[in-house]
Amino acid sequence: AQSVTQLDSQVPVFEEAPVELRCNYSSSVSVYLFWYVQYPNQGLQLLLKYLSGSTLVKSINGFEAEFNKSQTSFHLRKPSVHISDTAEYFCAVSEGNTGKLIFGQGTTLQVKP
Amino acid sequence: DGGITQSPKYLFRKEGQNVTLSCEQNLNHDAMYWYRQDPGQGLRLIYYSQIVNDFQKGDIAEGYSVSREKKESFPLTVTSAQKNPTAFYLCASRSGTGDEQYFGPGTRLTVT
């Protein structure tokens, strides 16, 4: 069965510092990978996704993630965070044709001034 | 505007009562999903439907029921058999294989 592990439950960081949120998955087949962001008491918003092709994917607000098949990882990075990036971030893998998403436990990014 | 709506945003019920959460989408998506979110546990799949009049159980379907009579609607009923119903419930939809899921704003259910 597929699974997703987000290694850090909370990541505190100062504003304008770089950040990496780690995500590892287990799967024996090709996967689609996603990062979602959730602000308090709201639904999830897609941040970026990897389906195929270039292993480095980028979002419009400065986040990027790299698919590493050999390490089964899809870590999320941003070179300089803002206070507004404070939120919970979820990594997810899509399961076959059903499109079911298997989620990690989430990482709370806390950006401090 | 296209999107997914969930109502109400907050819902309070007494233990032993069934309650139905609404989920409507105008994105013309075939597939719809219900997730439950608890602190520190991520999201867990309750039920999903890939086409009208068909649905499948997810990982934690016990104590829940759904229907899919219309493409736009996928209501979730939390029955009195659900042991710990207090949670944040999220509905999502998806267009096709490989596409991302679009999420609604969620309903926070509190049962006392």
Side-chain angles (χ1 to χ4, degrees), chain B residues 26-102:
Chain B
N26 61 4
L27 300 168
N28 199 34
H29 287 173
D30 288 314
M32 297 186 74
Y33 307 81
W34 272 106
Y35 294 91
R36 170 185 171 133
Q37 184 177 18
D38 297 283
Q41 296 193 45
L43 279 74
R44 294 179 290 169
L45 183 64
I46 304 173
Y47 268 97
Y48 66 102
S49 168
Q50 296 189 82
I51 197 167
V52 175
N53 293 322
D54 187 45
F55 50 82
Q56 285 78 41
K57 293 181 179 180
D59 301 318
I60 56 165
E62 185 175 351
Y64 299 98
S65 65
V66 294
S67 63
R68 187 85 187 276
E69 298 176 1
K70 299 186 299 181
K71 188 175 186 177
E72 304 79 19
S73 179
F74 191 41
L76 173 74
T77 297
V78 184
T79 75
S80 57
Q82 168 52 231
K83 300 299 183 188
N84 297 297
T86 294
F88 191 49
Y89 290 88
L90 288 159
C91 178
S93 70
R94 180 181 64 92
S95 176
T97 302
D99 290 339
E100 65 268 27
Q101 291 186 17
Y102 293 80

Side-chain angles (χ1 to χ4, degrees), chain A residues 83-103:
Chain A
I83 294 288
S84 60
D85 293 325
T86 295
E88 190 157 20
Y89 292 80
F90 291 95
C91 181
V93 59
S94 179
E95 182 183 275
N97 292 331
T98 67
K100 294 193 297 181
L101 289 177
I102 310 299
F103 284 90

